[in-house]
Amino acid sequence: MASLPTPPAQPDGDADAYVGLAADAAERQARDRGWDTVRAVPPGTFLTMEFRQGRINFQVEDGTVTRCWVG
């Protein structure tokens, strides 16, 4: 029987460190730190709740990150 694949390591870092940054600067910084997927959404957007390794999410209002979470 084949072994289960090992997912890549999730990038380190504090998600709260992105709050208050301009959305484009936050995305650039997240990609530089190794996040595969960067998702920016406006407040109130309906999203699926599945956890995805390597994804960071930004809630963006008026071009500024107001909330950040991983998965």
Side-chain angles (χ1 to χ4, degrees):
M1 177 182 279
S3 61
L4 294 173
T6 303
Q10 183 123 314
D12 287 331
D14 180 19
D16 291 332
Y18 296 96
V19 175
L21 296 177
D24 57 343
E27 180 176 352
R28 218 173 14 258
Q29 189 174 35
R31 291 192 187 283
D32 288 346
R33 292 182 177 172
W35 292 99
D36 293 331
T37 304
V38 179
R39 181 167 63 172
V41 297
T45 300
F46 288 99
L47 302 171
T48 59
M49 296 304 294
E50 83 282 358
F51 182 86
R52 185 158 177 226
Q53 189 81 11
R55 178 172 66 192
I56 192 164
N57 303 282
F58 298 141
Q59 177 178 295
V60 178
E61 288 184 67
D62 300 322
T64 303
V65 177
T66 57
R67 180 175 171 239
C68 181
W69 67 100
V70 298

